[in-house]
Amino acid sequence: MALAVFVPSAVYGIGSGAAAPMLPLHALELGASVGTAGVVVAMMGLGLILGDLPAGWLVARLGERKSIAVGSLVSALGLLVAILAPTIAVFALGLLINGAAGAVWGLARQTYVVAVVPGADRGRAFSALAGWMRFGFFAGPFVGAGVVHWLGPVGGLWIQLVAMLIAGALVLVMPEPEGTPAVVSDHTIRSVVVEHRRLLGTLGLAALLMGAARAARQSLLPLWAVHVGADAATTSIIFGIAGAVDVLMSYPAGIWLDRYGRRAIGVPAMILFAAGYAALPFAGSVAGLTAVAVLLGFANGLSNGVIMTVGADVAPPGQRAEFLGAWRLTHDIGMFAGPIAVGAISAVTVLGAAAVAMSVAGVGGAAAMYRWFPGLPAPQTSVREPAPKSESVDSG
Protein backbone atom coordinates (compact mmCIF):
# COMPACT_ATOMS: atom_id res chain seq x y z
CA MET A 1 0.00 0.00 0.00
CA ALA A 2 2.90 2.39 0.61
CA LEU A 3 3.97 2.52 -3.04
CA ALA A 4 0.53 1.97 -4.54
CA VAL A 5 -1.41 4.49 -2.44
CA PHE A 6 0.54 6.42 0.18
CA VAL A 7 3.48 7.88 -1.78
CA PRO A 8 1.34 9.13 -4.71
CA SER A 9 -1.06 10.60 -2.15
CA ALA A 10 1.78 12.51 -0.50
CA VAL A 11 2.89 13.95 -3.84
CA TYR A 12 -0.71 14.84 -4.65
CA GLY A 13 -0.94 16.56 -1.26
CA ILE A 14 2.18 18.63 -1.88
CA GLY A 15 0.59 20.14 -4.95
CA SER A 16 -2.72 20.77 -3.24
CA GLY A 17 -1.04 22.31 -0.20
CA ALA A 18 1.04 24.67 -2.30
CA ALA A 19 -1.97 25.86 -4.28
CA ALA A 20 -4.73 26.01 -1.64
CA PRO A 21 -3.84 29.27 0.15
CA MET A 22 -3.02 30.92 -3.17
CA LEU A 23 -6.37 30.33 -4.88
CA PRO A 24 -8.31 33.19 -3.25
CA LEU A 25 -5.27 35.46 -3.54
CA HIS A 26 -4.97 34.81 -7.28
CA ALA A 27 -8.70 35.44 -7.62
CA LEU A 28 -8.16 38.83 -5.99
CA GLU A 29 -5.35 39.51 -8.48
CA LEU A 30 -7.77 38.84 -11.34
CA GLY A 31 -10.11 41.51 -10.01
CA ALA A 32 -12.47 39.55 -7.76
CA SER A 33 -13.89 41.07 -4.59
CA VAL A 34 -13.45 39.30 -1.27
CA GLY A 35 -16.91 37.74 -1.56
CA THR A 36 -16.38 36.70 -5.18
CA ALA A 37 -13.01 35.16 -4.32
CA GLY A 38 -14.70 32.86 -1.80
CA VAL A 39 -17.26 31.81 -4.40
CA VAL A 40 -14.57 31.14 -7.00
CA VAL A 41 -12.59 28.90 -4.63
CA ALA A 42 -15.83 26.97 -4.11
CA MET A 43 -15.68 25.89 -7.76
CA MET A 44 -13.27 23.17 -6.64
CA GLY A 45 -16.01 21.82 -4.41
CA LEU A 46 -18.59 22.06 -7.19
CA GLY A 47 -16.25 20.09 -9.41
CA LEU A 48 -16.03 17.38 -6.76
CA ILE A 49 -19.83 17.23 -6.59
CA LEU A 50 -20.19 16.96 -10.36
CA GLY A 51 -17.47 14.31 -10.49
CA ASP A 52 -18.42 12.04 -7.57
CA LEU A 53 -21.15 9.95 -9.20
CA PRO A 54 -19.38 9.62 -12.58
CA ALA A 55 -16.24 8.66 -10.64
CA GLY A 56 -18.15 5.78 -9.05
CA TRP A 57 -19.16 4.56 -12.50
CA LEU A 58 -15.62 4.99 -13.87
CA VAL A 59 -13.81 3.21 -11.02
CA ALA A 60 -16.32 0.33 -11.06
CA ARG A 61 -15.50 -0.32 -14.71
CA LEU A 62 -11.86 0.69 -15.24
CA GLY A 63 -10.35 -0.07 -11.84
CA GLU A 64 -8.25 2.17 -9.65
CA ARG A 65 -5.03 2.60 -11.66
CA LYS A 66 -6.60 3.47 -14.99
CA SER A 67 -9.11 5.78 -13.33
CA ILE A 68 -6.34 7.69 -11.57
CA ALA A 69 -4.46 8.05 -14.87
CA VAL A 70 -7.55 9.58 -16.47
CA GLY A 71 -8.09 11.82 -13.45
CA SER A 72 -4.50 13.05 -13.53
CA LEU A 73 -4.73 14.13 -17.17
CA VAL A 74 -8.03 15.91 -16.62
CA SER A 75 -6.64 17.65 -13.54
CA ALA A 76 -3.59 18.84 -15.48
CA LEU A 77 -5.88 20.31 -18.12
CA GLY A 78 -7.92 22.15 -15.50
CA LEU A 79 -4.81 23.55 -13.83
CA LEU A 80 -3.45 24.86 -17.14
CA VAL A 81 -6.75 26.62 -17.76
CA ALA A 82 -6.57 28.18 -14.27
CA ILE A 83 -2.92 29.23 -14.62
CA LEU A 84 -3.40 30.86 -18.02
CA ALA A 85 -6.81 32.34 -17.20
CA PRO A 86 -7.14 35.97 -18.35
CA THR A 87 -10.37 36.53 -16.41
CA ILE A 88 -11.95 35.39 -13.17
CA ALA A 89 -14.57 33.36 -15.07
CA VAL A 90 -11.93 31.28 -16.88
CA PHE A 91 -10.06 30.81 -13.60
CA ALA A 92 -13.25 29.45 -12.02
CA LEU A 93 -13.68 27.03 -14.96
CA GLY A 94 -10.17 25.66 -14.44
CA LEU A 95 -10.85 25.06 -10.75
CA LEU A 96 -14.12 23.32 -11.65
CA ILE A 97 -12.32 20.88 -13.96
CA ASN A 98 -9.60 20.24 -11.38
CA GLY A 99 -12.20 19.51 -8.71
CA ALA A 100 -13.97 16.96 -10.91
CA ALA A 101 -10.67 15.15 -11.50
CA GLY A 102 -10.04 15.14 -7.74
CA ALA A 103 -13.24 13.13 -7.26
CA VAL A 104 -11.76 10.28 -9.30
CA TRP A 105 -8.51 10.34 -7.31
CA GLY A 106 -10.28 10.27 -3.97
CA LEU A 107 -12.69 7.48 -4.82
CA ALA A 108 -10.13 5.22 -6.46
CA ARG A 109 -7.86 5.34 -3.40
CA GLN A 110 -10.77 4.71 -1.04
CA THR A 111 -12.16 1.69 -2.91
CA TYR A 112 -8.73 0.07 -2.97
CA VAL A 113 -8.24 0.42 0.78
CA VAL A 114 -11.76 -0.90 1.47
CA ALA A 115 -11.03 -3.97 -0.64
CA VAL A 116 -7.75 -4.98 1.01
CA VAL A 117 -7.98 -3.84 4.66
CA PRO A 118 -10.03 -5.69 7.34
CA GLY A 119 -12.78 -3.72 9.03
CA ALA A 120 -11.05 -3.70 12.43
CA ASP A 121 -8.02 -1.89 10.93
CA ARG A 122 -9.83 0.56 8.66
CA GLY A 123 -9.47 3.53 10.97
CA ARG A 124 -5.69 3.25 10.96
CA ALA A 125 -5.54 2.51 7.23
CA PHE A 126 -7.65 5.50 6.24
CA SER A 127 -5.90 7.74 8.73
CA ALA A 128 -2.57 6.67 7.24
CA LEU A 129 -3.91 7.40 3.75
CA ALA A 130 -5.16 10.82 4.80
CA GLY A 131 -2.02 11.38 6.86
CA TRP A 132 0.31 10.87 3.91
CA MET A 133 -1.72 13.30 1.84
CA ARG A 134 -1.85 15.79 4.70
CA PHE A 135 1.89 15.48 5.15
CA GLY A 136 2.16 16.55 1.54
CA PHE A 137 -0.38 19.29 2.18
CA PHE A 138 1.75 20.42 5.14
CA ALA A 139 4.94 20.43 3.06
CA GLY A 140 3.28 22.10 0.08
CA PRO A 141 3.13 25.66 1.45
CA PHE A 142 6.79 25.49 2.47
CA VAL A 143 7.75 24.09 -0.93
CA GLY A 144 5.61 26.74 -2.55
CA ALA A 145 6.77 29.74 -0.52
CA GLY A 146 9.86 30.36 -2.66
CA VAL A 147 8.04 29.89 -5.96
CA VAL A 148 5.20 32.11 -4.75
CA HIS A 149 7.72 34.78 -3.77
CA TRP A 150 9.11 34.61 -7.33
CA LEU A 151 5.94 34.20 -9.40
CA GLY A 152 3.23 35.43 -7.05
CA PRO A 153 0.14 33.38 -6.11
CA VAL A 154 0.04 31.63 -9.51
CA GLY A 155 3.27 29.86 -8.52
CA GLY A 156 1.28 27.62 -6.20
CA LEU A 157 -0.78 26.38 -9.15
CA TRP A 158 2.36 25.56 -11.15
CA ILE A 159 3.57 23.40 -8.27
CA GLN A 160 0.23 21.61 -8.15
CA LEU A 161 0.37 20.91 -11.89
CA VAL A 162 3.82 19.33 -11.67
CA ALA A 163 2.88 17.33 -8.56
CA MET A 164 -0.30 16.03 -10.19
CA LEU A 165 1.59 14.71 -13.22
CA ILE A 166 4.22 13.04 -11.01
CA ALA A 167 1.58 11.41 -8.76
CA GLY A 168 -0.38 10.11 -11.74
CA ALA A 169 2.77 8.69 -13.32
CA LEU A 170 3.74 6.92 -10.08
CA VAL A 171 0.39 5.13 -9.97
CA LEU A 172 0.36 4.29 -13.66
CA VAL A 173 3.83 2.68 -13.84
CA MET A 174 3.32 0.51 -10.78
CA PRO A 175 1.98 -3.04 -11.19
CA GLU A 176 -1.53 -3.81 -10.01
CA PRO A 177 -1.28 -4.45 -6.22
CA GLU A 178 -1.89 -8.03 -5.14
CA GLY A 179 -5.31 -8.61 -3.66
CA THR A 180 -7.11 -6.06 -5.80
CA PRO A 181 -10.44 -7.63 -6.72
CA ALA A 182 -11.65 -7.91 -10.28
CA VAL A 183 -13.76 -5.00 -11.40
CA VAL A 184 -17.26 -6.33 -11.92
CA SER A 185 -20.40 -4.28 -11.54
CA ASP A 186 -23.82 -4.26 -13.16
CA HIS A 187 -25.41 -1.68 -10.84
CA THR A 188 -26.39 1.76 -12.00
CA ILE A 189 -25.57 4.84 -9.95
CA ARG A 190 -29.25 5.73 -9.73
CA SER A 191 -30.30 2.32 -8.38
CA VAL A 192 -27.62 2.40 -5.68
CA VAL A 193 -28.57 5.92 -4.57
CA VAL A 194 -32.27 5.06 -4.44
CA GLU A 195 -31.69 1.84 -2.53
CA HIS A 196 -29.59 3.54 0.16
CA ARG A 197 -31.24 6.97 0.20
CA ARG A 198 -32.17 6.88 3.91
CA LEU A 199 -28.64 5.98 4.96
CA LEU A 200 -27.18 8.68 2.71
CA GLY A 201 -29.67 11.19 4.10
CA THR A 202 -28.81 10.64 7.77
CA LEU A 203 -25.15 9.69 8.07
CA GLY A 204 -24.66 11.80 4.96
CA LEU A 205 -25.89 14.94 6.76
CA ALA A 206 -23.07 14.61 9.28
CA ALA A 207 -20.58 14.05 6.45
CA LEU A 208 -21.89 17.15 4.68
CA LEU A 209 -21.39 19.39 7.71
CA MET A 210 -17.88 18.06 8.30
CA GLY A 211 -17.06 18.75 4.65
CA ALA A 212 -18.26 22.34 5.06
CA ALA A 213 -16.16 22.84 8.20
CA ARG A 214 -13.06 21.47 6.51
CA ALA A 215 -13.35 23.37 3.24
CA ALA A 216 -14.27 26.75 4.71
CA ARG A 217 -10.74 27.01 6.12
CA GLN A 218 -9.32 27.14 2.60
CA SER A 219 -11.10 30.40 1.78
CA LEU A 220 -11.76 31.95 5.19
CA LEU A 221 -8.21 31.82 6.58
CA PRO A 222 -6.44 33.35 3.55
CA LEU A 223 -9.07 36.10 3.33
CA TRP A 224 -8.64 36.81 7.05
CA ALA A 225 -4.88 36.92 6.45
CA VAL A 226 -5.48 39.74 3.96
CA HIS A 227 -7.68 41.41 6.60
CA VAL A 228 -4.85 41.44 9.17
CA GLY A 229 -2.23 42.54 6.62
CA ALA A 230 -0.32 39.29 6.01
CA ASP A 231 1.36 38.87 2.61
CA ALA A 232 1.22 35.75 0.40
CA ALA A 233 4.44 34.19 1.74
CA THR A 234 3.34 34.70 5.37
CA THR A 235 -0.03 33.12 4.56
CA SER A 236 1.77 30.07 3.16
CA ILE A 237 3.80 29.74 6.36
CA ILE A 238 0.67 29.98 8.53
CA PHE A 239 -0.95 27.20 6.50
CA GLY A 240 2.23 25.14 6.84
CA ILE A 241 2.29 25.45 10.63
CA ALA A 242 -1.38 24.45 10.87
CA GLY A 243 -0.67 21.58 8.48
CA ALA A 244 2.09 20.28 10.78
CA VAL A 245 -0.41 19.98 13.63
CA ASP A 246 -2.84 18.30 11.25
CA VAL A 247 -0.25 15.70 10.21
CA LEU A 248 0.88 14.98 13.78
CA MET A 249 -2.69 13.99 14.64
CA SER A 250 -3.00 11.49 11.77
CA TYR A 251 -1.77 8.30 13.41
CA PRO A 252 -3.32 8.90 16.86
CA ALA A 253 -6.64 9.66 15.18
CA GLY A 254 -6.54 6.31 13.36
CA ILE A 255 -5.83 4.37 16.55
CA TRP A 256 -8.65 6.14 18.37
CA LEU A 257 -11.04 5.48 15.48
CA ASP A 258 -10.47 1.73 15.75
CA ARG A 259 -10.37 1.68 19.56
CA TYR A 260 -13.17 4.03 20.56
CA GLY A 261 -15.37 4.29 17.48
CA ARG A 262 -16.35 6.78 14.84
CA ARG A 263 -18.68 8.88 17.02
CA ALA A 264 -16.06 9.30 19.76
CA ILE A 265 -13.76 11.02 17.25
CA GLY A 266 -16.23 12.80 14.98
CA VAL A 267 -18.12 14.68 17.71
CA PRO A 268 -15.07 16.26 19.43
CA ALA A 269 -13.59 17.17 16.04
CA MET A 270 -16.71 19.11 15.07
CA ILE A 271 -16.79 20.88 18.45
CA LEU A 272 -13.18 21.99 17.90
CA PHE A 273 -14.05 23.25 14.42
CA ALA A 274 -16.88 25.27 15.97
CA ALA A 275 -14.54 26.72 18.61
CA GLY A 276 -11.93 27.69 16.03
CA TYR A 277 -14.37 29.52 13.79
CA ALA A 278 -15.94 31.25 16.79
CA ALA A 279 -12.49 32.55 17.79
CA LEU A 280 -11.51 33.83 14.34
CA PRO A 281 -13.30 37.24 14.56
CA PHE A 282 -11.15 38.00 17.62
CA ALA A 283 -7.86 37.31 15.76
CA GLY A 284 -6.61 40.81 15.02
CA SER A 285 -2.98 39.98 14.24
CA VAL A 286 -0.84 37.40 12.43
CA ALA A 287 -0.16 35.71 15.78
CA GLY A 288 -3.86 35.46 16.58
CA LEU A 289 -4.61 34.11 13.10
CA THR A 290 -1.87 31.52 13.50
CA ALA A 291 -3.39 30.34 16.80
CA VAL A 292 -6.81 29.91 15.19
CA ALA A 293 -5.28 28.14 12.18
CA VAL A 294 -3.50 25.72 14.53
CA LEU A 295 -6.76 24.96 16.40
CA LEU A 296 -8.56 24.29 13.11
CA GLY A 297 -5.62 22.16 11.98
CA PHE A 298 -5.90 20.12 15.18
CA ALA A 299 -9.63 19.63 14.54
CA ASN A 300 -8.93 18.58 10.97
CA GLY A 301 -6.26 16.14 12.10
CA LEU A 302 -8.55 14.64 14.74
CA SER A 303 -11.17 14.04 12.05
CA ASN A 304 -8.54 12.34 9.89
CA GLY A 305 -10.09 9.35 8.09
CA VAL A 306 -13.50 9.56 9.82
CA ILE A 307 -15.60 10.08 6.70
CA MET A 308 -13.76 7.46 4.63
CA THR A 309 -13.94 4.94 7.48
CA VAL A 310 -17.67 5.36 8.05
CA GLY A 311 -18.26 5.07 4.30
CA ALA A 312 -16.23 1.86 4.23
CA ASP A 313 -18.23 0.49 7.18
CA VAL A 314 -21.56 0.90 5.41
CA ALA A 315 -20.57 0.25 1.76
CA PRO A 316 -22.31 -2.86 0.32
CA PRO A 317 -19.63 -5.19 -1.16
CA GLY A 318 -21.40 -5.72 -4.48
CA GLN A 319 -21.97 -2.01 -5.01
CA ARG A 320 -18.85 -0.60 -3.39
CA ALA A 321 -17.59 1.89 -5.98
CA GLU A 322 -21.05 3.22 -6.85
CA PHE A 323 -22.09 3.56 -3.21
CA LEU A 324 -18.85 5.25 -2.17
CA GLY A 325 -19.26 7.68 -5.05
CA ALA A 326 -22.65 8.65 -3.63
CA TRP A 327 -21.26 8.70 -0.06
CA ARG A 328 -18.43 11.00 -1.07
CA LEU A 329 -21.01 13.22 -2.75
CA THR A 330 -22.59 14.01 0.64
CA HIS A 331 -19.23 15.12 2.06
CA ASP A 332 -18.26 17.01 -1.07
CA ILE A 333 -21.54 18.93 -1.14
CA GLY A 334 -20.36 20.29 2.20
CA MET A 335 -16.90 20.98 0.73
CA PHE A 336 -18.65 23.10 -1.88
CA ALA A 337 -21.11 24.75 0.50
CA GLY A 338 -18.47 25.86 3.03
CA PRO A 339 -16.56 28.30 0.78
CA ILE A 340 -19.83 29.36 -0.90
CA ALA A 341 -21.23 30.29 2.51
CA VAL A 342 -18.06 32.22 3.34
CA GLY A 343 -18.25 34.16 0.10
CA ALA A 344 -21.98 34.82 0.20
CA ILE A 345 -22.13 35.88 3.85
CA SER A 346 -19.06 38.09 3.64
CA ALA A 347 -20.43 39.72 0.49
CA VAL A 348 -23.59 40.94 2.26
CA THR A 349 -22.25 41.47 5.80
CA VAL A 350 -18.66 41.16 7.08
CA LEU A 351 -16.08 38.39 6.97
CA GLY A 352 -16.45 37.74 10.71
CA ALA A 353 -20.11 36.83 10.23
CA ALA A 354 -19.05 34.01 7.90
CA ALA A 355 -16.82 32.63 10.67
CA VAL A 356 -19.73 32.70 13.13
CA ALA A 357 -21.95 30.87 10.62
CA MET A 358 -19.35 28.13 10.21
CA SER A 359 -19.14 27.81 13.99
CA VAL A 360 -22.89 27.17 14.10
CA ALA A 361 -22.49 24.56 11.33
CA GLY A 362 -19.82 22.86 13.44
CA VAL A 363 -22.20 22.55 16.38
CA GLY A 364 -24.85 21.11 14.06
CA GLY A 365 -22.36 18.59 12.71
CA ALA A 366 -21.44 17.47 16.22
CA ALA A 367 -25.13 16.90 17.00
CA ALA A 368 -25.67 14.91 13.78
CA MET A 369 -22.66 12.70 14.46
CA TYR A 370 -23.76 12.08 18.03
CA ARG A 371 -27.20 11.06 16.70
CA TRP A 372 -26.18 8.80 13.80
CA PHE A 373 -22.52 7.82 13.87
CA PRO A 374 -21.66 4.34 15.20
CA GLY A 375 -20.34 4.05 18.72
CA LEU A 376 -17.92 1.12 18.39
CA PRO A 377 -15.38 0.26 15.70
CA ALA A 378 -16.02 -2.28 12.95
CA PRO A 379 -16.29 -5.22 12.66
CA GLN A 380 -17.89 -5.51 16.08
CA THR A 381 -20.23 -2.71 15.00
CA SER A 382 -22.86 -3.23 12.35
CA VAL A 383 -23.94 0.10 10.94
CA ARG A 384 -27.44 -0.35 9.62
CA GLU A 385 -30.06 1.61 7.79
CA PRO A 386 -31.69 4.24 10.04
CA ALA A 387 -34.20 2.61 12.34
CA PRO A 388 -37.46 4.21 13.51
CA LYS A 389 -36.95 7.70 14.83
CA SER A 390 -36.66 6.53 18.42
CA GLU A 391 -33.37 4.71 17.51
CA SER A 392 -29.98 5.92 16.41
CA VAL A 393 -27.37 4.14 14.33
CA ASP A 394 -25.17 2.47 16.91
CA SER A 395 -23.29 -0.68 17.65
CA GLY A 396 -25.18 -3.85 16.83
Side-chain angles (χ1 to χ4, degrees):
M1 286 182 61
L3 294 179
V5 181
F6 296 154
V7 172
S9 295
V11 176
Y12 184 100
I14 288 173
S16 299
M22 297 299 106
L23 298 180
L25 302 184
H26 189 52
L28 294 175
E29 283 189 339
L30 291 174
S33 65
V34 170
T36 303
V39 173
V40 168
V41 173
M43 291 300 102
M44 291 277 287
L46 179 59
L48 283 170
I49 291 171
L50 296 178
D52 276 327
L53 295 182
W57 180 90
L58 186 70
V59 172
R61 284 149 185 82
L62 296 185
E64 287 82 3
R65 288 174 64 251
K66 292 179 181 178
S67 297
I68 284 179
V70 171
S72 298
L73 292 176
V74 174
S75 178
L77 173 63
L79 288 168
L80 276 177
V81 170
I83 289 168
L84 302 176
T87 66
I88 193 65
V90 178
F91 181 61
L93 175 63
L95 297 185
L96 184 76
I97 295 171
N98 188 39
V104 178
W105 256 90
L107 180 63
R109 291 175 301 167
Q110 185 176 8
T111 56
Y112 173 73
V113 174
V114 173
V116 301
V117 176
D121 297 326
R122 281 176 182 159
R124 279 168 285 182
F126 281 120
S127 290
L129 170 61
W132 277 72
M133 183 171 177
R134 290 178 182 184
F135 173 78
F137 201 88
F138 154 71
F142 293 101
V143 172
V147 179
V148 166
H149 181 72
W150 180 39
L151 296 177
V154 75
L157 278 76
W158 278 113
I159 293 175
Q160 186 176 18
L161 173 60
V162 173
M164 175 60 67
L165 293 176
I166 293 174
L170 285 173
V171 173
L172 190 60
V173 301
M174 290 175 186
E176 194 73 41
E178 294 183 8
T180 303
V183 177
V184 177
S185 178
D186 56 0
H187 300 281
T188 66
I189 293 292
R190 182 179 182 277
S191 67
V192 172
V193 171
V194 170
E195 181 179 351
H196 301 286
R197 61 188 182 276
R198 292 185 64 201
L199 188 62
L200 293 168
T202 51
L203 288 172
L205 174 62
L208 184 153
L209 291 170
M210 178 165 278
R214 287 170 165 172
R217 298 178 310 138
Q218 307 304 326
S219 58
L220 192 52
L221 292 180
L223 293 174
W224 199 266
V226 173
H227 174 71
V228 299
D231 59 21
T234 301
T235 302
S236 287
I237 298 300
I238 291 173
F239 262 69
I241 293 171
V245 176
D246 191 337
V247 171
L248 289 173
M249 286 300 301
S250 296
Y251 191 68
I255 294 175
W256 298 337
L257 269 175
D258 289 331
R259 184 173 298 171
Y260 302 114
R262 301 8 174 178
R263 180 195 298 152
I265 301 303
V267 172
M270 291 304 292
I271 291 174
L272 290 173
F273 272 122
Y277 286 122
L280 186 60
F282 302 99
S285 65
V286 170
L289 175 61
T290 302
V292 171
V294 166
L295 177 57
L296 292 173
F298 183 85
N300 203 50
L302 183 62
S303 71
N304 200 7
V306 168
I307 300 301
M308 288 190 292
T309 304
V310 173
D313 289 342
V314 301
Q319 307 168 352
R320 182 175 293 130
E322 296 91 342
F323 176 86
L324 288 176
W327 169 250
R328 292 180 66 88
L329 177 62
T330 63
H331 178 262
D332 291 343
I333 287 174
M335 294 284 287
F336 171 66
I340 281 285
V342 170
I345 295 171
S346 61
V348 298
T349 57
V350 293
L351 196 56
V356 173
M358 293 312 305
S359 179
V360 173
V363 173
M369 289 181 181
Y370 182 80
R371 173 67 175 83
W372 287 304
F373 265 30
L376 293 174
Q380 290 83 4
T381 299
S382 62
V383 182
R384 56 185 182 273
E385 293 280 344
K389 55 186 177 181
S390 61
E391 278 185 68
S392 63
V393 178
D394 205 330
S395 55

